C-alpha cells in the first residue's frame, strides 16, 4: 500500500527501513472522486497529500470569477495548499481532485512531528519546499515575458502530461490565457 510513497522518499534521501516504516505509518489512505474538494477557499488546510494515483489541482479564483491554476500534481508527487497548511490561515486556494484518485494523507500535527524528529523526513520536506519555490519562480519569470505560443511550448517541454491528462480549460488557466486562445495555439502547433 505504501510502496510508491516509500520509493518517493528513498529517491529523495537515504533512509533506514525503521525510519521509513515510522514515516509511512502516519499516512492514511484516502480515495477521492472526480472534482472532490480537499481544501476550499476560506478553509484552513490541515493535510498534506502523496498521490499514488490520480491528479490534484491547486487554484484560486480571481475577482472576476476566473480560475487561476497554480499547480497540478500527478502520481508520485506531493501537494498541499501550502500557504494555509504552513501558516494555518484560511486558504485563498482550492485543492481539488481532478479525477478519481488514491492518496496518502497526513495531518499537519503528525507531519510536523515527523519533520521535527526524523531528519530524513525533514530533508524530504525541505526538498519539496525548494522545488515549489523554484517552480513558482520559473513560472512567474518565464511567463511574464512570454507570448502565448511560448507558454504552450514551455508546458510541452516541462510538463507534457498536463496536455493529455488535464482539461484544456484548466491548462489554459495555468498558462494565464482563455480556453479558446489555448485551442488556437494548439492548432498552430
Amino acid at each position: 500500500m505504501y510502496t510508491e510513497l516509500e520509493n518517493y522518499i528513498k529517491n529523495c534521501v537515504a533512509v533506514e527501513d525503521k525510519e521509513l516504516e515510522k514515516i509511512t505509518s502516519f499516512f492514511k489512505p484516502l480515495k477521492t472522486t472526480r472534482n472532490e474538494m480537499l481544501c476550499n477557499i476560506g478553509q484552513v488546510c490541515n493535510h498534506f497529500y502523496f498521490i499514488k494515483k490520480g491528479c490534484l489541482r491547486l487554484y484560486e479564483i480571481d475577482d472576476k470569477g476566473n480560475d487561476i491554476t497554480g499547480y497540478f500534481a500527478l502520481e508520485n508527487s506531493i501537494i498541499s495548499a501550502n500557504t494555509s497548511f504552513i501558516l494555518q490561515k484560511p486558504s485563498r486556494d482550492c485543492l481539488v481532485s481532478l479525477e478519481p484518485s488514491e492518496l496518502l494523507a497526513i495531518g499537519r500535527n503528525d507531519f510536523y512531528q515527523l519533520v521535527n524528529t526524523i531528519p530524513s523526513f525533514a530533508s524530504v520536506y525541505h526538498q519539496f519546499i525548494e522545488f515549489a519555490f523554484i517552480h513558482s519562480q520559473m513560472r512567474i519569470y518565464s511567463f511574464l515575458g512570454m507570448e502565448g505560443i511560448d507558454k504552450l511550448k514551455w508546458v510541452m517541454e516541462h510538463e507534457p502530461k498536463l496536455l493529455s491528462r488535464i482539461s484544456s480549460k484548466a491548462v489554459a488557466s495555468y498558462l494565464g490565457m482563455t480556453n479558446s486562445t489555448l485551442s488556437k495555439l494548439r492548432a498552430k502547433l
Side-chain angles (χ1 to χ4, degrees):
M1 173 173 290
Y2 295 98
T3 305
E4 296 89 348
L5 176 59
E6 291 171 351
N7 290 337
Y8 177 85
I9 293 168
K10 287 178 184 177
N11 285 331
C12 290
V13 65
V15 60
E16 295 178 15
D17 289 342
K18 191 172 184 177
E19 282 185 345
L20 192 57
E21 188 176 317
K22 182 175 182 179
I23 292 166
T24 59
S25 73
F26 284 91
F27 285 81
K28 305 298 178 227
L30 174 66
K31 289 189 177 191
T32 63
T33 59
R34 184 176 186 273
N35 293 324
E36 184 173 332
M37 192 67 65
L38 297 170
C39 181
N40 207 339
I41 294 170
Q43 292 179 329
V44 175
C45 183
N46 287 308
H47 290 88
F48 212 87
Y49 303 95
F50 174 81
I51 302 161
K52 286 181 61 168
K53 179 181 176 191
C55 177
L56 301 185
R57 174 184 176 216
L58 185 70
Y59 69 98
E60 67 177 48
I61 300 172
D62 71 13
D63 295 339
K64 297 176 185 174
N66 300 313
D67 293 0
I68 302 170
T69 300
Y71 190 69
F72 295 102
L74 301 171
E75 287 86 4
N76 298 312
S77 62
I78 54 179
I79 189 170
S80 186
N82 293 337
T83 303
S84 178
F85 182 81
I86 293 166
L87 299 177
Q88 288 296 277
K89 302 276 186 190
S91 183
R92 293 183 50 183
D93 300 308
C94 297
L95 182 59
V96 66
S97 179
L98 286 183
E99 54 193 43
S101 299
E102 295 177 19
L103 311 174
L104 295 173
I106 184 170
R108 186 178 188 277
N109 291 338
D110 290 337
F111 183 89
Y112 281 110
Q113 179 183 340
L114 290 177
V115 167
N116 293 326
T117 60
I118 300 182
S120 57
F121 189 76
S123 179
V124 170
Y125 175 55
H126 291 133
Q127 288 178 44
F128 168 77
I129 291 297
E130 288 172 357
F131 170 80
F133 175 77
I134 291 166
H135 183 268
S136 296
Q137 291 292 97
M138 283 178 54
R139 278 196 60 228
I140 290 168
Y141 295 133
S142 296
F143 285 8
L144 280 176
M146 282 185 174
E147 295 294 324
I149 194 84
D150 295 322
K151 292 178 185 181
L152 180 55
K153 287 177 182 176
W154 185 90
V155 167
M156 291 171 78
E157 180 182 340
H158 294 95
E159 301 177 85
K161 289 182 180 179
L162 297 183
L163 297 171
S164 61
R165 294 264 311 263
I166 311 298
S167 74
S168 60
K169 181 180 178 186
V171 172
S173 78
Y174 182 64
L175 296 175
M177 63 181 68
T178 65
N179 194 18
S180 63
T181 300
L182 177 60
S183 294
K184 290 174 188 171
L185 293 174
R186 286 179 91 167
K188 284 183 180 180
L189 294 178

